[in-house]
Amino acid sequence: MTDLFIIGAGTAGLSAAIYAVRAGKSVIVAESGTYGGQIINTPDIENYPGIAHISGYEFATNLYSQATDLGVKVIFAKVEEITGDGPFTIKAGKDTYEAKTIIIATGAKNRHLGLKNEERLIGKGISYCATCDGMFFKGKDVAVNGGGNTALSDALYLAGIANHVTLIHRRDSFRGDKADLDKLNTCDNVTFLLNSNVTGLSGKDHLESIAVTNVKTRETTNVPVSALFVAIGQEPDNQIFANLVDLDEKGYIKAGADCETSHPGIYAAGDCRTTSLRQLTTAAADGAIAATAACTYIDRN
Ligand code: NAP
């Protein structure tokens, strides 16, 4: 019987694991992909208090080592099913685990544009990760779609690699940090296409061009690019928990500031839960809060 079973080895899940293991509890973290979560793909983090600059990869690797060095057990398997009312039985990969509490920290998955040819051209010019794939397009013309922190940091990163970057955003103002926008404005190889959506993707074996439609004029222009980096946000992936905990209308897990879900003994931390801010700092903070609440629950029951 494990004290805490944590689903997701991103910032929220690993932060929760560190807090729980330091509180003397046994912890298993299950991860269906690689450790680190979304932040592992961020080229440069500049807004984590106390760390002026760090790459997402280094941050995630430090966090993972910190947790495992403290004795957290990480298993790389997808959680398929959770049964029981507490304690819980968790089926992950080929194995079954028993746990007193569960912390769901599954983050969110990249939103796709939903355009014809998008799925076919993934890995052939369509990418959702600039740090993973940017170097393939060294010296080429590329585009980034989105107006949040990911789009701005992707565009900045690509401006240092590509010949030219077109940043396409559906509104005339960005929700991403002004600091990154100011830096982008100084890049002479970045062009902004605002009030615009990507409406078409063309290319036989590889992306060759994108259609961009201005939402005000309805005019569509063809932009030749070798790659389009889609950075239009994330969607939750919580359907397997829908019979256990309440979800909101967008599919995020309903949990308060204390990270408690509608099911006693189950907590939700980080980007998978309803919250007004999804940042590295809030993911780490959620992990600490959820783990502390889960430890209290164990001690009281
Ligand atoms: P985001 O903040 O949700 O931004 C998504 C962007 O895509 C928005 O500008 C949105 O437009 C646009 N968009 C959404 N759906 C679209 C569609 N169907 N077609 C065209 N555009 C669409 O997502 P994100 O940039 O990936 O960031 C996710 C979270 O991670 C945020 O909280 C962000 O601050 C955080 N993050 C933090 C760091 C860091 O701490 N260093 C780095 C990266 C990301 P509207 O603006 O019009 O809604």
Side-chain angles (χ1 to χ4, degrees):
M1 176 71 69
T2 302
D3 290 324
L4 282 91
F5 192 96
I6 299 172
I7 308 171
T11 303
L14 290 174
S15 300
I18 289 168
Y19 269 73
V21 85
R22 294 191 76 245
K25 305 295 185 212
S26 57
V27 180
I28 293 177
V29 179
E31 169 58 56
S32 60
T34 50
Y35 68 81
Q38 288 170 55
I39 204 65
I40 204 162
N41 296 324
T42 298
D44 188 20
I45 302 163
E46 290 185 348
N47 61 359
Y48 196 85
I51 305 175
H53 281 281
I54 190 166
S55 73
Y57 178 79
E58 194 183 353
F59 181 88
T61 303
N62 288 348
L63 192 56
Y64 179 76
S65 305
Q66 188 181 358
T68 51
D69 288 352
L70 284 165
V72 171
K73 182 178 175 189
V74 181
I75 56 160
F76 289 93
K78 188 171 167 53
V79 170
E80 310 281 357
E81 192 183 44
I82 299 171
T83 49
D85 249 354
F88 304 94
T89 303
I90 303 117
K91 198 167 166 283
K94 288 182 186 145
D95 296 312
T96 300
Y97 302 84
E98 302 285 326
K100 292 178 188 167
T101 61
I102 291 175
I103 296 179
I104 303 170
T106 46
K109 61 182 179 184
N110 290 323
R111 183 177 288 131
H112 289 203
L113 288 161
L115 292 174
K116 193 179 166 202
N117 294 330
E118 184 174 5
E119 306 301 313
R120 179 175 69 80
L121 292 171
I122 291 174
K124 297 169 185 162
I126 297 292
S127 172
Y128 303 86
C129 176
T131 35
C132 316
D133 301 329
M135 280 310 273
F136 296 126
F137 303 97
K138 195 169 190 284
K140 303 268 170 78
D141 292 347
V142 303
V144 174
N145 188 196
N149 277 323
T150 303
L152 297 186
S153 71
D154 282 2
L156 261 181
Y157 174 72
L158 291 164
I161 297 173
N163 176 58
H164 186 266
V165 180
T166 305
L167 177 56
I168 302 151
H169 177 40
R170 64 183 177 185
R171 291 187 297 120
D172 62 359
S173 62
F174 291 92
R175 67 170 64 223
D177 290 352
K178 187 179 173 299
D180 277 354
L181 187 58
D182 290 346
K183 283 188 207 159
L184 275 173
N185 275 315
T186 67
C187 297
D188 54 15
N189 64 340
V190 176
T191 305
F192 296 85
L193 283 182
L194 301 180
N195 297 311
S196 298
N197 277 317
V198 177
T199 49
L201 307 169
S202 305
K204 194 166 169 257
D205 299 322
H206 199 281
L207 183 71
E208 288 162 21
S209 67
I210 57 176
V212 180
T213 304
N214 186 294
V215 295
K216 294 198 166 155
T217 64
R218 297 277 154 211
E219 198 183 321
T220 297
T221 42
N222 196 50
V223 182
V225 285
S226 302
L228 171 66
F229 291 87
V230 180
I232 59 167
Q234 285 81 34
E235 293 170 328
D237 196 7
N238 292 328
Q239 275 319 305
I240 85 153
F241 310 116
N243 60 343
L244 275 176
V245 294
D246 291 347
L247 307 183
D248 70 14
E249 67 288 348
K250 288 183 177 164
Y252 290 99
I253 297 168
K254 284 188 183 174
D258 54 7
C259 295
E260 267 182 309
T261 70
S262 56
H263 195 305
I266 303 183
Y267 303 82
D271 286 6
C272 67
R273 79 171 179 96
T274 46
T275 177
S276 58
L277 187 64
R278 293 188 173 88
Q279 292 279 297
L280 201 53
T281 45
T282 54
D286 267 11
I289 294 167
T292 306
C295 292
T296 305
Y297 175 90
I298 291 165
D299 293 342
R300 285 192 183 149
N301 287 281

